[in-house]
Structure formats: C-alpha cells, structure tokens
Amino acid sequence: MAEARLSGLPEQRRVLRRAWPFLRRRRLALAGVIVLELVGAGLAVAVTATIGRIVGAAGNGDRDGVLGWSLALAVMVVVGGVVTWQARYRIVEVGELVLAGVRERATEAVARAPLRFLEAHRRGDLLRRLTGEINGLGAFVGGTLPDLVTATTVLAVTVLMLVVLSWPLTILLLVGFVPVAVVIVGRFKRAAGPAYGELSEAEAAVAASFAESLPAQEQLRVSGGVARWLGWFARANDRLLAAERNRVRAELRLNLLALLQAAAVGGIVVAGAALIDAGLLSVGVAVVFVLASRDIVNRFEDLAASIGDAREAQVRLARVLELIQLCGDANPSPGTGATEFPGSGALTLAGVDFGYPAGPPVLANLSLTVAPGDHLVIAGETGSGKSTLGKLVAGLYRPASGTVNYAGVDLAAADPVQVRERIVLVPQEVVLVEGSVAENMAMVPGRPGRLAVEAALDRLGLTAWAASLPDGLDTGVGRHGARLSAGERQLVAIARAALADPAVLILDEATADVDPVTAARIEQTLAAASDQRTLIVIAHRADTIARGRLLLRMPEARLSDGAGRPMP
Ligand SMILES: Nc1ncnc2c1ncn2[C@@H]1O[C@H](COP(=O)(O)OP(=O)(O)OP(=O)(O)O)[C@@H](O)[C@H]1O
C-alpha cells in the first residue's frame, strides 16, 4: 500500500464542505450571525433609501417629511451601528471557536498518526500546518472575514433595493459593471490560487529549514556544515521571495477595479439624468441610485480586496484539513478489532515484508515466533534492518504484507493504546521533555507516584545513581534532556520502561551509552522481572549479544539458540 503523503498545494475545491464537521457544531451561532448581518445590511441600505426620501421631501417643500425622515435616519444609523458591531463581534467569536476545534483535531490527528507518516514528512511542514496555518486563519477570521461577510450582505441587499426602485437602471448598472468585474476577479483568482499555495509551501520550507537545523547546531558546527546549511537556507529564502513577488503581482490585477468604479458612477449619473429628463425617474430615486452605485462599487472593491486574503485562508484551511485527513488515512483501522488484548502471549511474525518508499526491501518474508518469557537478541551489521524489525514488533510500523501478532491478536487491528501498554520500545536516542528526572520517568500509563519510581530504580540497582544527581530525582533534565549525559538519558528511559512493566520490552541499543557493568545488571534485571516478560534486545556489543537465550542474525534472519545451534 502506498504511503499517504501530504502535498504542498492540496485540493482547494469544496474546502468549506470538507470543513463542515467543524462548522456544524456552531451552526446555531452561525445562523444567528447571518440574521444579524442581514439586519445590519438592511439598515445600511435603508439609510441610503432614506437620504433619497429626504431629498425628495426637500424638493417638494415638505418640511415635516424632511424632519420625520431625518429622525428616522438618525435612529437607523444608531441601530445599524450597534447591530453591525454585534454581527462583527459574533463572527469573530464563532470563527475562533471553530478554529479552536480545528486546532484540537489537527493536534490529536498528529499525536495519533503512525510513526511512518511523521517520519515521511519534514518536521517544519507539520509544525507550520499545526501552528502558522491555523494562526493565519485566526488572523483572517479576526481581520478580513467580518469585512467580507458585511460587504457580501450589503451588496446583495443593495442590489435588491435598486431592483425595487428602478429595474432598468439596475440592469444598466449590473450589465455595465458586473461582467467586467467578474473577469477581473476571475483572472485574479486564477493567478492567486497557485501564488498563495506556493507562498505557503515556501514559508513551510523556511520553517522546516530552521526546525531541522536548530536542534542540529552542535553537529553542524563540529562537522563544519554551517556554510552548507546557510546555502540551503538562502535557496529557501529566494524561493520565498519569488513566491511573495508572485502574490503581489496577482493582487495588482485587482487595481483595475478602481477604474471600473469611476466608469460605473459616471454611467449612472448620465443615464439617471436622461431618465429624469424623460420624466421616468424622480430626483430622490436618482440620488439613491448614485449613492447606491458608489456603495456597490465600494463594497465590491472591499470584497475584491478581501478575496486575496480569502484565497490565502482557503489554501491554509486546505493544508490543515489535508493533514487531518491523511493522518486518519495513514491510520486505517485504529482500535477496530481486539476488544480484549491479552496480558501475555507469544509474538509471531508471519511472512512479513517491509521496505521504505523508494528504497530496497528491508525485510522479506520474515517469519518468527518468540514465546512469552523469552530473551531474544537481534544482532547484525549496520543497516541490516534491526531497528526496523524492532519498530514492526512494537506495532510502530505496519508490514507491507504479512502479520505481526501478539497473543494471537494482529497488531494492525488492535487498539494502539493497548499495544503501547503491552509492548514498549526503548530507542538508543532518548529525547526527554523539560521537567525533573522523576517526572520524565513517570511518563507512562497510570502515572505512577514517587514511591513507584523509587521502587523501580531500586529493582534496577539505580538508586545510588539517582542519589548522585545534583538534586536527586528532582534534578531538572533541561530542554530535550540536554542537562543529562547520553547514558543518563538512557537510564531514565529504561526506568520509565520498567515502570510501564510491559509484557514485551524491546531495547534498541538502549544501553549502548551506559557503562558495561551497569548495562549488564539492567538487562539481567529486566529479563528476570517476570517469567512472562519477553525481552528483545537489539545490540552490537558482544557481552549483550552473549546474554540472549535466542539470537536472530540480520539481514539473513537466521535464528540460533544461546549455544549457536540453528533453530527451525
Ligand atoms: N525512516 C527511514 N526512511 C527511509 N529509509 C530508512 C529509514 N530508516 C531506516 N531506513 C533504511 O532501512 C535500512 C535498515 O535500517 P535500520 O535502521 O533498520 O538498520 P539497523 O540494522 O538498525 O542499523 P544500525 O545498526 O545502524 O542501527 C537502512 O538501509 C536504512 O537506510
């Protein structure tokens, strides 16, 4: 099965329909916003019509009429202002709530995404979709969206009013203005889609360049790779600059609308004067038309100015929705089968094939059974597939074909939470989170207390080591565990695994940075913790390899017993 891959510029059609699950929860609030907007637009249009009434009354010498309509105008302006303010406030409020839902769902999707999906994408791109794109949507919701919605409703209601007042003049206005405006906006939209997509991709590339290089500064300095990294960054920056230029070029197309505005108002004045001359139009209605046509063109301009932001927001939303969707697609059947995942059992690999995209097969037709309580060592040359096998056995990867079963349950169909509780993998490179040593150790299901942490350390013979740290178990590990040595970070990860007390424990060179005596004691303790616990150790060190009861040699996947006798 092909791996799910994010695209730089995902499908943008029907993006709102795809976002409907997030909008649906707020549909009542959205309906309220629409009602408020319509009332606000109605009042804004009524103001224009009332000015026409006042002019008409003044032309007829009707002083009472002028006074009455002026009062009505004042009331409309105040009420309209309050309603419009409320409508804009509610749009932002509902928009923020919808975005909070999207952010939550996207974070959850990434947290549950299969390891292979995360590995296959640049960290900076994922980060940008989870933060930059959603923040950009927030800025759109708080800034442009209210203008966009108000402009659309006022435009629609104004056109309706004009049709009622004089349909011939309205048709003239629409025929003269709309087709040209539609062509201008259409050309802008065609150019803006790729321009905004490329801009988002280029921004993501710059973010990715930092996300990858900042944690690797130490290596870049020692290997003299800083200049090369600056070269990569310069290329990403040039791309961003070019994308920014394209965006500006696309937006400049909208300036043609200003010319159109002048033409539309001029046309209405000439046509209105002719209609008044012919006795087909009153001066009041002509005034309303001139005001309204200016308003229509102004609102259309507002709309067009917002279209750029709306297009950008559409791309951002499409990128976030694609992330949510693909994380789900890459996780085809989480938690479907296995209502009860047994506490202990044999691990069985049957006909397992696995390879990375565009790479040669790493494992081919591998079959193997490890009984509960067994101690298997996986050894072999660099790049022979040991870690890959460890990740498959831990359920972090899924085989391209074949199955990995634990206690008769296919890991691909089991509840991932239960798999994580039963099968734990400790990698060689341990990354800790900022906090104390004890807090990092206790990060396992069930959140064990201080006594449990101390008991686990005692069993592993690590009490004296923990006491030797500057603040004992309360010693801060620093960012990503940087204040501990590589071996100390491994000890924290091993204590964490011991606390989790899994049925299957996989140590992927997890004691490689620990001194040989401590490593030997830890491995023996972990192996002897329970006669039902399966211990799988991936190792290069001869003493670690010698401690296994079974040995699997990679890449041939040759299985032998402790005495080197081949197993069937
Ligand atoms: N995330 C990945 N993407 C693409 N290819 C990968 C990835 N991880 C490993 N590989 C490739 O798969 C092969 C097996 O890698 P693996 O890490 O399983 O080997 P290993 O036996 O554990 O090596 P080592 O002894 O160095 O830890 C290697 O050729 C490697 O280049």
Side-chain angles (χ1 to χ4, degrees):
M1 190 183 67
E3 285 191 353
R5 289 301 301 260
L6 292 166
S7 54
L9 182 58
E11 175 64 52
Q12 292 159 58
R13 272 178 303 157
R14 294 197 290 270
V15 72
L16 272 183
R17 193 189 293 179
R18 282 185 278 138
W20 179 242
F22 300 100
L23 295 166
R24 193 171 45 208
R25 283 165 59 199
R26 309 286 166 198
R27 60 186 181 279
L28 280 183
L30 281 170
V33 166
I34 290 169
V35 170
L36 276 175
E37 277 291 342
L38 285 174
V39 173
L43 284 167
V45 171
V47 163
T48 311
T50 306
I51 292 172
R53 293 279 184 174
I54 294 170
V55 172
N60 295 334
D62 178 4
R63 295 185 61 185
D64 288 349
V66 170
L67 196 68
W69 283 117
S70 299
L71 269 176
L73 181 70
V75 172
M76 280 176 208
V77 168
V78 172
V79 176
V82 172
V83 171
T84 305
W85 180 84
Q86 262 295 320
R88 293 169 78 87
Y89 174 76
R90 297 254 163 248
I91 289 177
V92 177
E93 190 182 50
V94 177
E96 287 295 347
L97 284 170
V98 170
L99 280 184
V102 171
R103 187 181 284 120
E104 215 170 276
R105 184 72 195 83
T107 309
E108 194 183 299
V110 170
R112 292 188 191 288
L115 186 62
R116 272 301 307 142
F117 180 82
L118 300 180
E119 280 178 353
H121 292 94
R122 296 187 76 179
R123 219 186 289 177
D125 187 22
L126 298 176
L127 198 65
R128 178 156 173 92
R129 289 180 200 238
L130 286 172
T131 56
E133 307 295 21
I134 299 182
N135 294 345
L137 283 168
F140 172 74
V141 162
T144 311
L145 185 63
D147 292 343
L148 192 68
V149 175
T150 304
T152 312
T153 33
V154 171
L155 204 58
V157 177
T158 306
V159 170
L160 259 180
M161 177 193 73
L162 292 185
V163 169
V164 171
L165 283 179
S166 168
W167 64 264
L169 214 48
T170 310
I171 288 179
L172 185 75
L173 179 68
L174 295 182
V175 168
F177 175 71
V178 174
V180 186
V182 166
V183 169
I184 294 173
V185 173
R187 285 190 47 171
F188 161 74
K189 281 177 74 174
R190 269 196 300 283
Y196 288 120
E198 169 62 12
L199 188 63
S200 273
E201 267 193 81
E203 283 172 352
V206 169
S209 152
F210 279 112
E212 282 155 20
S213 61
L214 287 181
Q217 280 303 313
E218 189 180 323
Q219 277 98 321
L220 284 174
R221 269 151 226 254
V222 282
S223 63
V226 173
R228 178 162 288 216
W229 170 68
L230 285 174
W232 286 334
F233 173 75
R235 272 199 295 284
N237 205 20
D238 286 347
R239 182 181 170 195
L240 183 56
L241 196 66
E244 195 61 67
R245 273 206 205 106
N246 275 343
R247 180 186 66 88
V248 172
R249 261 191 227 123
E251 284 179 357
L252 280 178
R253 291 169 194 230
L254 288 175
N255 284 7
L256 289 174
L257 282 173
L259 288 178
L260 196 57
Q261 175 187 24
V265 174
I268 286 295
V269 169
V270 172
L275 286 174
I276 292 171
D277 216 31
L280 294 170
L281 202 70
S282 71
V283 175
V285 172
V287 168
V288 172
F289 253 89
V290 172
L291 290 177
S293 55
R294 264 186 67 86
D295 209 28
I296 285 182
V297 180
N298 281 340
R299 297 288 181 177
F300 203 87
E301 262 196 293
D302 285 351
L303 206 64
S306 317
I307 287 175
D309 290 351
R311 215 57 186 108
E312 193 174 18
Q314 192 181 357
V315 171
R316 290 182 190 281
L317 184 58
R319 282 168 58 86
V320 179
L321 292 178
E322 186 194 38
L323 177 67
I324 294 173
Q325 190 209 325
L326 286 198
C327 283
D329 288 354
N331 217 353
S333 55
T336 46
T339 40
E340 252 324 298
F341 203 52
S344 99
L347 256 173
T348 309
L349 283 78
V352 168
D353 292 318
F354 186 88
Y356 295 93
V362 178
L363 303 177
N365 197 22
L366 177 64
S367 296
L368 175 74
T369 296
V370 190
D374 244 335
H375 179 174
L376 170 75
V377 172
I378 304 174
E381 65 213 42
T382 296
S384 56
K386 303 182 293 298
S387 295
T388 305
L389 177 56
K391 286 174 188 163
L392 277 158
V393 168
L396 294 171
Y397 288 174
R398 292 190 177 180
S401 59
T403 54
V404 181
N405 280 5
Y406 170 70
V409 178
D410 185 351
L411 297 189
D415 175 358
V417 177
Q418 288 196 45
V419 176
R420 292 281 72 75
E421 281 173 16
R422 299 286 191 281
I423 308 176
V424 168
L425 180 140
V426 184
Q428 176 176 7
E429 212 168 291
V430 179
V431 177
L432 303 176
V433 295
E434 210 159 346
S436 70
V437 168
E439 281 165 347
N440 270 283
M441 286 176 180
M443 253 185 281
V444 294
R447 291 233 148 222
R450 180 78 166 212
L451 284 179
V453 172
E454 285 169 359
L457 284 171
D458 193 41
R459 283 196 301 278
L460 292 166
L462 294 174
T463 306
W465 163 74
S468 73
L469 294 169
D471 291 315
L473 283 173
D474 297 316
T475 303
V477 302
R479 190 159 295 175
H480 303 311
R483 271 202 249 151
L484 299 185
S485 73
E488 284 172 333
R489 286 198 289 273
Q490 288 194 331
L491 293 183
V492 173
I494 285 165
R496 186 192 281 166
L499 267 167
D501 194 20
V504 180
L505 182 56
I506 305 155
L507 304 181
D508 187 354
E509 296 183 50
T511 54
D513 297 318
V514 175
D515 67 86
V517 176
T518 311
R521 191 179 61 235
I522 286 173
E523 281 160 22
Q524 276 153 1
T525 310
L526 289 173
S530 146
D531 56 5
Q532 289 299 298
R533 171 176 296 158
T534 306
L535 184 65
I536 299 177
V537 181
I538 297 169
H540 282 298
R541 256 186 356 210
D543 55 336
T544 304
I545 295 173
R547 280 191 286 275
R549 204 189 68 77
L550 291 171
L551 174 64
L552 186 72
R553 277 258 166 223
M554 296 297 283
E556 321 81 38
R558 204 177 54 240
L559 193 64
S560 57
D561 66 11
R565 284 187 294 266
M567 305 275 289

